[in-house]
Amino acid sequence: HRRFDYRPKTDPYCQARYTFCPTGSAIPVMKEEDVIEVYRLQAPVWEFKYGDLLGHLKIMHDAVGFKSSLTGKNYTMEWYELFQLGNCTFPHLRPGMDAPFWCNQGAACFYEGIDDAHWKENGTLVLVTTISGTMFNEMAQWVKYDNETGIYYETWTVQASPDKKSTVWFDSYECSKFILRTYQKLADLGAVFKKIQTNYTSIILFSGEPIYLGNETSIFGPQGNKTLAAAIRDFYNPFKPHQTVREFFVDLFKIIDRVILNHQFYLFYNLEYWFLPMKSPYLKIIYEEVPLPVGSKASFGV
């Protein structure tokens, strides 16, 4: 996933149904000698649990919690879409504009408190490691860097086959990937993680080798490829960057239908368009184990 020099200003056209990070606050500076517990937080995205079609999907949202021994305060940190999931996955086709218009950014949100009931009753709230105040402060610096340079949300993982060792053409960049990067950063700083099973959700497309098509200007600009531009617009036409998670999944099934029928998918990734020659099983939603990281430094705490 490409890193960018800065986060672009958001276009006023992009409106979120729910305010992004409404109670968010700056990450505090911890005292160096503080001992901070780190919690793994995971819960289902409940909104679509009740559709018969969607009830069996294990779609989870991940976050990380911190508890300071010195102050007793709890904090939650997570990473999610600025304009909800539909906007990160499907573009708007705006009248008078040739190119599909994307409202796609993701970012970290940090706030005081851990909603124990939400994570415990529906999912997971488990201690994974303990860190020092110094390590927490170093992690906070890294979060700032990660946030300023990794700006686009990417729903899809694209790989060659369901085989474990299969080639990954494109990696997703979403809530769980941020948590995994955070754990890895803490491990690199010396955190020692408990040996517990940790699973994450991935939405995977299966494709032969992707074909590079160009960027917005080269396809939709004055010297662009009119046929290709029309094909991309046509592909995205049935999907609306809906606001609710449920509607998003209805669209997801529409896309599967198109993909299986025509064996094709147009992917927008790091501001570039790619053609995916799709192949069976086309799409899978998996919930599988990703182990906690092993650090590269001497250990701290238990």
Side-chain angles (χ1 to χ4, degrees):
H1 195 273
R2 183 172 142 205
R3 292 271 161 193
F4 291 85
D5 295 338
Y6 62 94
R7 182 179 287 278
K9 282 206 161 34
T10 59
D11 192 292
Y13 177 84
C14 299
Q15 295 295 320
R17 179 177 181 161
Y18 310 106
T19 310
F20 174 78
C21 205
T23 58
S25 58
I27 304 183
V29 176
M30 298 293 192
K31 289 210 163 97
E32 290 181 6
E33 68 277 14
D34 201 348
V35 174
I36 294 152
E37 293 178 332
V38 181
Y39 291 90
R40 173 173 188 256
L41 310 176
Q42 187 179 66
V45 179
W46 280 124
E47 258 190 275
F48 54 81
K49 179 178 180 287
Y50 304 104
D52 47 348
L53 176 72
L54 308 168
H56 64 282
L57 300 180
K58 196 111 173 161
I59 310 280
M60 310 296 268
H61 177 69
D62 298 273
V64 60
F66 301 97
K67 183 178 184 185
S68 157
S69 303
L70 285 180
T71 65
K73 284 184 176 177
N74 290 323
Y75 302 94
T76 302
M77 183 167 76
E78 54 189 328
W79 196 94
Y80 60 101
E81 327 85 44
L82 264 62
F83 312 106
Q84 280 77 64
L85 188 57
N87 275 311
C88 296
T89 312
F90 306 113
H92 295 255
L93 299 180
R94 292 174 67 180
M97 284 177 81
D98 269 352
F101 185 83
W102 293 85
C103 289
N104 176 8
Q105 281 191 38
C109 172
F110 187 95
Y111 51 96
E112 194 172 326
I114 293 176
D115 180 352
D116 280 40
H118 172 71
W119 303 106
K120 260 188 202 155
E121 287 169 22
N122 309 329
T124 306
L125 191 162
V126 61
L127 179 70
V128 287
T129 188
T130 307
I131 59 172
S132 66
T134 307
M135 286 155 80
F136 179 91
N137 296 336
E138 286 180 2
M139 178 208 72
Q141 287 303 310
W142 169 82
V143 169
K144 186 173 182 290
Y145 155 80
D146 186 76
N147 223 21
E148 284 168 359
T149 60
I151 50 184
Y152 295 110
Y153 188 101
E154 183 52 55
T155 305
W156 317 104
T157 294
V158 185
Q159 59 187 58
S161 81
D163 181 39
K164 276 264 190 280
K165 295 186 174 63
S166 135
T167 305
V168 176
W169 305 117
F170 297 97
D171 218 342
S172 62
Y173 199 82
E174 28 69 10
C175 68
S176 70
K177 290 294 198 293
F178 172 75
I179 301 307
L180 291 167
R181 288 197 302 281
T182 302
Y183 289 161
Q184 188 58 58
K185 182 66 188 176
L186 291 175
D188 293 345
L189 292 169
V192 177
F193 284 86
K194 292 178 179 296
K195 292 189 169 31
I196 52 171
Q197 183 165 342
T198 51
N199 289 48
Y200 299 91
T201 302
S202 293
I203 304 180
I204 304 177
L205 299 174
F206 299 101
S207 154
E209 186 161 350
I211 298 154
Y212 175 70
L213 301 174
N215 61 22
E216 190 176 293
T217 312
S218 70
I219 298 170
F220 299 95
Q223 312 300 307
N225 179 333
K226 296 275 185 285
T227 317
L228 179 58
I232 293 173
R233 271 199 308 272
D234 179 60
F235 176 76
Y236 282 118
N237 199 38
F239 319 111
K240 302 293 171 279
H242 286 306
Q243 305 294 343
T244 71
V245 175
R246 191 189 165 85
E247 287 171 312
F248 164 76
F249 277 93
V250 169
D251 263 359
L252 186 63
F253 285 96
K254 272 192 212 164
I255 233 178
I256 296 168
D257 208 41
R258 284 206 132 194
V259 160
I260 293 172
L261 213 63
N262 305 323
H263 295 252
Q264 50 183 222
F265 190 101
Y266 289 97
L267 180 74
F268 188 57
Y269 192 89
N270 282 343
L271 305 182
E272 295 172 324
Y273 284 94
W274 295 79
F275 176 77
L276 306 181
M278 300 296 289
K279 57 188 203 189
S280 176
Y282 305 107
L283 181 144
K284 260 189 166 172
I285 296 173
I286 59 166
Y287 183 67
E288 69 174 6
E289 184 175 12
V290 180
L292 287 160
V294 175
S296 54
K297 277 194 179 179
S299 71
F300 167 88
V302 217

